[in-house]
Amino acid sequence: MIHIVIDLEMNPIKRDLKEVRKFLLDEVIEFGAVKLDENYQQIDTFQCYVQPTFGKISNHITKLTGITDEMVADKEKFPEAFKNFFDWVGTWDMKIYSWSNSDINQLRNECAYKIPEFDVKRLERQWIDIQKKFDDKIGISANLALKHAVGAMDRNFKGTQHTALADAENTAAILTLMQDEEKFQQTMKPVIDMLNPKAFSESIGDLFPELKNLKFD
C-alpha cells in the first residue's frame, strides 16, 4: 500500500454565475501531492496548475497563493489534470490524506459537475483527515491550522504556505511523525503538557494569539 498526501488550491467562482454556483462554488487551480511508501518514506511528488473554466483568478487568491492568470493560461483544465493526478498515483491500493476535509469536499463537488462518470465515493472511502487525527492525538477539539501543527512539532514550515506542494509536504511530515508513537509523544510532549486552559493561555497563546479561543477535550 502507498500513502498519498494531497493539497489543493482553489479559486472562487464569480457570484454572477448563479447557475454554476448552485453546484460548484470553487475550482481547483493547483494540485500538490506527496507519495509515501508503506513505511511512510517519501518516494515521489506531484504538482500541476489547473486552468479554471469559469473566469479569472481573484486578486485575493493571487495574493494568498501566488498563482496568476498567466501561470494557468496554458494549463490543462480540471478533468485532464485530475486524470494526470490519478495516473501518477497509479493504484487504488492506497490511502489518501489531507489537512481537513475541505479538499475531498471540493473534489466531490467538482468531479460531480465536471466528470460525473468518476466514482468519487470510492475515493472518499480511501480518504483520511489528518487534521482531526492530529488534534485528537494532542487533545484539542478545535481545528489546528497546518502552520501551527508544524510549529508545534518545533519544525520550520518547508516552502511557502498556500502553495499546494509545500502544504502537502508539510502535512506528510506530520503524518510520518504520527506513525512513531514514542517519537510523537517525545516531540509533542511540551505542547501536550501545556494543554490546559491556563498553561495554553500563558504559553502557546502568547506565540499564537489567534489560538486562545480553542476548546479543549
Side-chain angles (χ1 to χ4, degrees):
M1 174 178 290
I2 63 170
H3 305 274
I4 304 296
V5 183
I6 189 172
D7 183 78
L8 307 174
E9 300 302 330
M10 293 162 271
N11 185 59
I13 294 172
K14 292 183 178 180
R15 293 186 178 276
D16 58 349
L17 296 174
K18 294 180 181 179
E19 288 303 311
V20 177
R21 285 176 58 87
K22 289 179 182 178
F23 305 97
L24 191 63
L25 298 178
D26 301 278
E27 293 185 278
V28 173
I29 56 172
E30 185 183 14
F31 281 88
V34 176
K35 185 182 292 185
L36 309 176
D37 64 17
E38 65 274 9
N39 297 314
Y40 295 88
Q41 298 302 304
Q42 181 174 317
I43 55 176
D44 204 0
T45 62
F46 176 90
Q47 186 277 337
C48 75
Y49 294 115
V50 184
Q51 183 185 152
T53 301
F54 301 107
K56 295 185 177 182
I57 296 174
S58 74
N59 291 334
H60 168 72
I61 295 300
T62 293
K63 289 178 182 177
L64 185 68
T65 67
I67 301 172
T68 64
D69 290 319
E70 290 74 20
M71 293 167 65
V72 300
D74 61 346
K75 305 305 180 186
E76 293 179 316
K77 294 191 176 181
F78 178 81
E80 293 77 18
F82 187 70
K83 179 182 183 300
N84 291 340
F85 167 69
F86 258 90
D87 287 345
W88 170 79
V89 172
T91 178
W92 277 101
D93 185 21
M94 66 164 178
K95 292 291 184 182
I96 189 164
Y97 308 81
S98 63
W99 194 259
S100 87
N101 276 327
S102 62
D103 290 337
I104 185 58
N105 292 338
Q106 176 64 30
L107 290 180
R108 182 191 303 115
N109 294 336
E110 198 157 356
C111 285
Y113 191 82
K114 295 181 178 178
I115 43 175
E117 66 276 12
F118 179 76
D119 182 9
V120 74
K121 289 184 178 179
R122 187 177 183 187
L123 182 60
E124 289 175 318
R125 291 192 291 269
Q126 313 289 97
W127 205 281
I128 296 172
D129 178 358
I130 285 296
Q131 182 186 52
K132 184 178 188 307
K133 289 193 174 291
F134 182 87
D135 290 351
D136 289 346
K137 255 185 176 299
I138 66 172
I140 62 174
S141 58
N143 296 324
L144 196 64
L146 177 59
K147 67 175 181 178
H148 296 142
V150 171
M153 291 168 57
D154 196 25
R155 179 179 187 269
N156 291 328
F157 195 96
K158 181 179 179 180
T160 304
Q161 293 177 50
H162 303 297
T163 59
L165 183 55
D167 285 356
E169 288 179 324
N170 284 279
T171 304
I174 295 170
L175 173 63
T176 300
L177 178 64
M178 289 172 65
Q179 306 315 305
D180 186 331
E181 185 63 26
E182 182 178 352
K183 187 175 181 181
F184 182 86
Q185 293 298 327
Q186 181 181 8
T187 301
M188 299 302 300
K189 187 177 186 301
V191 176
I192 294 171
D193 286 349
M194 286 187 238
L195 288 183
N196 62 72
K198 183 174 184 299
F200 185 84
S201 175
E202 294 174 354
S203 53
I204 291 183
D206 292 335
L207 294 176
F208 303 126
E210 66 268 40
L211 301 185
K212 288 185 178 180
N213 295 323
L214 287 179
K215 297 179 181 178
F216 297 86
D217 294 330

